[in-house]
Amino acid sequence: MIKRKVAIIIFYDNNNFMIQDRRKISKWGEDYGFFGGAIENNENSEEAIKREIKEELNFEIKDFKLFKKDVKFIKEINGKVERNLFVSEIPDLNSIKEIEGKIKFISRNKIPDLKMVGGDLELLKEIKDYLNKIK
């Protein structure tokens, strides 16, 4: 049984990923994560990611695509999570405002060993490989 459904997004450009510094807002002990969050009962994953980005970055995202949808057991919440992972190019930084968490940029070529939950670090590496192939 799925305990939670989430819509998350990773922003990228040719050199960097833009992720969320969650050290001050962590729910499960993570230092870093993706922007996004829970899908509410009345919305689909696309509607959820738009709402979450508006709440977290005060930005109305329009250009994004689904990278992967999976179901994974996440030990931190002791249950299965349906993850809808989207990708998008990093927006113009003048058009966003950090509301929830801080923005952190990490090099696409040197992904450090970040404290993330639920296999997010592995997803980051998977996205890197995917983007390198379509480059």
Side-chain angles (χ1 to χ4, degrees):
M1 180 171 137
I2 294 175
K3 189 171 188 176
R4 182 178 162 116
K5 294 181 180 183
V6 297
I8 51 182
I9 192 164
I10 182 68
F11 293 101
Y12 67 90
D13 64 17
N14 288 331
N15 302 310
N16 297 295
F17 288 123
M18 185 176 92
I19 60 175
Q20 188 180 48
D21 182 334
R22 299 188 49 80
R23 289 177 286 187
K24 292 186 179 181
I25 61 168
S26 173
K27 294 179 183 173
W28 297 290
E30 75 278 17
D31 288 343
Y32 302 98
F34 301 129
F35 290 96
I39 298 172
E40 296 179 357
N41 289 334
N42 63 339
E43 62 188 4
N44 63 40
S45 60
E46 291 84 6
E47 292 166 333
I49 201 63
K50 288 178 181 180
R51 176 185 49 76
E52 287 286 346
I53 296 307
K54 182 68 173 168
E55 290 173 2
E56 295 176 0
L57 295 172
N58 197 33
F59 175 70
E60 293 192 27
I61 188 167
K62 294 180 176 92
D63 189 24
F64 59 96
K65 69 178 182 176
L66 182 66
F67 169 71
K68 180 179 185 173
K69 179 178 180 175
D70 65 13
V71 175
K72 181 170 177 67
F73 181 83
I74 309 293
K75 68 179 181 177
E76 290 84 2
I77 69 164
N78 194 31
K80 289 183 180 178
V81 175
E82 176 187 296
R83 302 182 301 179
N84 297 267
L85 177 64
F86 295 92
V87 293
S88 179
E89 291 189 18
I90 294 174
D92 175 5
L93 297 180
N94 293 319
S95 66
I96 60 177
K97 179 181 177 187
E98 297 168 315
I99 296 173
E100 185 178 315
K102 297 290 181 186
I103 292 171
K104 176 168 179 67
F105 292 97
I106 59 169
S107 169
R108 272 180 50 183
N109 296 322
K110 292 188 176 183
I111 298 173
D113 189 20
L114 302 170
K115 186 176 179 186
M116 301 175 92
V117 298
D120 283 357
L121 188 58
E122 290 78 18
L123 271 177
L124 199 57
K125 292 174 182 174
E126 199 176 319
I127 293 166
K128 174 191 162 197
D129 292 341
Y130 166 76
L131 292 173
N132 286 341
K133 288 178 187 172
I134 64 167
K135 200 172 181 183

